[in-house]
Amino acid sequence: MSDEILYAVENGVGTITLNRPQARNALTFAMYERIAEICRDPAAHGDPRVIVMTGAGDKAFGAGTDISQFRAFSGAGDALAYEERIEKVIGTIERCPVPTLAAISGAVTGGGASIALSCDLRIATVTARFGFPIARTLGNCLSMENYARLFALLGPALVKDIVFTARLVEAEEGRRVGLYSELLPDHAALMARASELAQIVASHAPLTMRATKEAMRRLTAAAADGVDGRDLVTLCYTSADFREGMEAFLGKRPPNWTGR
């Protein structure tokens, strides 16, 4: 796995690269854990003042969890454990004591989109396409925490729009609704701007960054506080439709949904 997550620190900027371009940077569990390990304790990983996250190549930032890993699921316990495990990773990114910047080219979907949402800043190329096309692919659902993140950033109408239609938000729309602060023409320009922006952020007061990050995290988390979504995860992940969606996706055929 060591080469599936690349990490380097230069001039106070740490860069995490999802490095599975042949699989559109789909994430394995080991990749999620490595990202969390770095974000949990940046001081022990080169002590960066800011962390940039990106994907190898220009086709995808991250295309979500590697679906083949779902084949081992046998019941509600597996589904709930999966969502809890991934939420711990996403929560760790949000709690990272230094600012995080997602530099996005191409597809940013599923787990990759969750990682991007958890970063403090997001910039993208004009090829960026964001979404959770689960209604078309697997027939599962998001965790309550991820619904809360989307709700806080986009509002309920747009969340329902992109999930119900399973469409991917194109780059200009993403900039307009606040997903991205800037759009760049290509991957090279993206990474150059990411480096420039990271240096600006790294030069500013660390405690201001940390306090603002935590304040925004607390406000977003409040939307899901006390709201239990485990029944929704169980409903979807233990369904025949989820099994059908997974096998159809891996078999490269359309799924046959039954609502069961």
Side-chain angles (χ1 to χ4, degrees), residues 121-167:
L121 302 171
R122 288 168 298 280
I123 61 175
T125 66
V126 294
T127 64
R129 301 173 75 224
F130 173 95
F132 294 88
I134 50 179
R136 173 169 48 81
T137 55
L138 292 183
N140 60 331
C141 66
L142 305 182
S143 68
M144 190 59 67
E145 292 85 357
N146 271 328
Y147 280 125
R149 292 181 184 101
L150 282 169
F151 178 90
L153 184 62
L154 303 178
L158 187 52
V159 173
K160 286 187 279 189
D161 173 15
I162 64 176
V163 175
F164 287 9
T165 64
R167 72 182 180 91

Side-chain angles (χ1 to χ4, degrees), residues 67 132-140 166 241-242 244-249 253-255 257:
I67 290 173
F132 294 88
I134 50 179
R136 173 169 48 81
T137 55
L138 292 183
N140 60 331
D241 269 358
F242 176 70
E244 164 65 11
M246 178 178 56
E247 296 300 337
F249 185 92
R253 61 173 175 81
W257 305 121

Side-chain angles (χ1 to χ4, degrees), residues 28-51:
T28 64
F29 291 146
M31 291 169 69
Y32 279 118
E33 296 299 335
R34 176 59 175 154
I35 294 170
E37 178 183 280
I38 296 167
C39 290
R40 186 177 297 113
D41 190 4
H45 293 84
D47 202 19
R49 296 284 293 272
V50 62
I51 292 176

Side-chain angles (χ1 to χ4, degrees), residues 229-242:
R230 289 177 296 177
D231 59 322
L232 305 178
V233 170
T234 299
L235 172 70
C236 293
Y237 278 89
T238 62
S239 68
D241 269 358
F242 176 70

Side-chain angles (χ1 to χ4, degrees), residues 79-88 141-143 233 237:
L80 294 171
Y82 164 74
E83 287 292 352
E84 181 179 353
R85 181 177 187 178
I86 300 304
E87 179 52 35
K88 284 182 178 177
C141 66
L142 305 182
S143 68
V233 170
Y237 278 89

Side-chain angles (χ1 to χ4, degrees), residues 15-248:
T15 301
I16 296 174
T17 303
L18 282 61
N19 189 39
R20 293 183 74 209
Q22 76 284 359
R24 299 175 69 82
N25 298 320
L27 290 115
T28 64
F29 291 146
M31 291 169 69
Y32 279 118
E33 296 299 335
R34 176 59 175 154
I35 294 170
E37 178 183 280
I38 296 167
C39 290
R40 186 177 297 113
D41 190 4
H45 293 84
D47 202 19
R49 296 284 293 272
V50 62
I51 292 176
V52 174
M53 297 194 198
T54 194
D58 59 1
K59 302 301 182 185
F61 172 85
T65 302
D66 188 329
I67 290 173
S68 64
Q69 298 188 113
F70 291 134
R71 276 186 158 155
F73 282 21
S74 61
D78 291 324
L80 294 171
Y82 164 74
E83 287 292 352
E84 181 179 353
R85 181 177 187 178
I86 300 304
E87 179 52 35
K88 284 182 178 177
V89 171
I90 302 304
T92 297
I93 297 170
E94 285 184 323
R95 291 180 174 85
C96 182
V98 302
T100 52
L101 165 65
I104 298 164
S105 285
V108 52
T109 55
S114 295
I115 289 173
L117 283 174
S118 67
C119 288
D120 302 307
L121 302 171
R122 288 168 298 280
I123 61 175
T125 66
V126 294
T127 64
R129 301 173 75 224
F130 173 95
F132 294 88
I134 50 179
R136 173 169 48 81
T137 55
L138 292 183
N140 60 331
C141 66
L142 305 182
S143 68
M144 190 59 67
E145 292 85 357
N146 271 328
Y147 280 125
R149 292 181 184 101
L150 282 169
F151 178 90
L153 184 62
L154 303 178
L158 187 52
V159 173
K160 286 187 279 189
D161 173 15
I162 64 176
V163 175
F164 287 9
T165 64
R167 72 182 180 91
L168 299 183
V169 176
E170 300 290 342
E172 180 53 41
E173 181 184 2
R175 185 200 60 77
R176 190 171 66 249
V177 301
L179 272 173
Y180 316 120
S181 58
E182 300 178 40
L183 293 183
L184 288 304
D186 54 38
H187 190 71
L190 174 76
M191 297 313 296
R193 178 54 179 158
S195 177
E196 179 183 37
L197 187 56
Q199 289 293 341
I200 292 171
V201 173
S203 72
H204 292 159
L207 295 183
T208 300
M209 307 292 112
R210 189 166 184 172
T212 302
K213 278 172 60 75
E214 180 60 13
M216 295 303 102
R217 188 198 67 79
R218 291 180 189 181
L219 288 169
T220 300
D225 187 33
V227 181
D228 190 347
R230 289 177 296 177
D231 59 322
L232 305 178
V233 170
T234 299
L235 172 70
C236 293
Y237 278 89
T238 62
S239 68
D241 269 358
F242 176 70
R243 182 65 56 178
E244 164 65 11
M246 178 178 56
E247 296 300 337

